[in-house]
Amino acid sequence: MGFTIGGIREMRSGARRRVRTTECTAVAEYTGLWGWDVVPGARAVSGQCSCGDPACAAPGAHPLSFAEPVPAGAGLDDAVKAWSAYPGAALLLPVGRAFDVIEVAEAAGRRALVRLERMGLPLGPVCATPTGRARFFVAPGAAAELPQLLYRMGWDDADLDLHCLGPGAHITAPPSDLGGLGPVRWLRPPTLDTAGAPPQARLLLGTLAYICHRTHF
């Protein structure tokens, strides 16, 4: 028993519809439940960015310059209507509005996550990228405060693989793929309690810095 050309086309069309449905549902969840803006982003295939620029500095990992964001508060119908204008776009979240992001190596992030949960410290959403990074959502302002916070904790001169993303940055959100390398996935999904009120960076930074230092050495 074989597949016909028409059957293959039908299967591919069905797969595309399922992907679009999943993405639209995710957009509506992010805007309607978690209160985040969602920005349509470029995709990448075999290293080539859908923006059409052969010299693109971030293939498949930047907003589409011509696309309008879907604003926080948009419900399912509005999200589906808005997202249908940009078929195949990646879901990007603007950083610096509802949250900043502390980024560490995924191995360190997973160890820190276990320790933070055991300590009972407040946690926001945490996602992992196919490039081996873990991203901890924290309260806005962390990027500006990070150098001073590290200084106060005695980590300012340490060789830490720890960075903070703030206003002007965008991150790829599940279920979209990052730069054609694979999907971003949740290590700790958002909830009604954590999405709108992620923790202050200072509550997590000591543990994250300690684990990053131990993992590095």
Side-chain angles (χ1 to χ4, degrees), residues 100-102 116 119 121-124 136-155 162 164 198-210:
D100 280 7
V101 170
I102 297 178
L116 290 164
M119 294 168 67
L121 291 175
L123 285 166
F136 288 73
F137 289 37
V138 294
E145 298 170 356
L146 185 65
Q148 187 63 23
L149 287 173
L150 289 173
Y151 175 78
R152 290 177 181 174
M153 294 178 179
W155 292 104
L162 183 154
C164 200
Q200 296 293 323
R202 58 182 173 77
L203 299 177
L204 313 182
L205 194 55
T207 299
L208 287 171
Y210 174 73

Side-chain angles (χ1 to χ4, degrees), residues 41-194:
R43 294 273 195 177
V45 178
S46 300
Q48 297 297 312
C49 188
S50 63
C51 71
D53 182 359
C56 179
H62 66 85
L64 295 171
S65 60
F66 54 84
E68 292 292 331
V70 184
L76 178 60
D77 291 343
D78 290 337
V80 169
K81 182 179 179 180
W83 206 254
S84 64
Y86 310 106
L91 280 69
L92 301 186
L93 304 177
V95 184
R97 300 179 188 177
F99 57 84
D100 280 7
V101 170
I102 297 178
E103 182 182 282
V104 299
E106 183 178 346
R110 286 181 177 274
R111 294 189 185 102
L113 188 57
V114 170
R115 177 169 293 206
L116 290 164
E117 288 177 335
R118 286 177 179 171
M119 294 168 67
L121 291 175
L123 285 166
V126 184
C127 64
T129 74
T131 55
R133 308 296 290 175
R135 291 171 167 172
F136 288 73
F137 289 37
V138 294
E145 298 170 356
L146 185 65
Q148 187 63 23
L149 287 173
L150 289 173
Y151 175 78
R152 290 177 181 174
M153 294 178 179
W155 292 104
D156 59 305
D157 59 350
D159 185 14
L160 299 176
D161 183 9
L162 183 154
H163 310 282
C164 200
L165 305 176
H170 292 79
I171 62 169
T172 303
S176 291
D177 70 275
L178 174 60
L181 300 175
V184 178
R185 62 197 186 282
W186 290 115
L187 297 180
R188 195 173 192 275
T191 67
L192 291 175
D193 292 331
T194 64

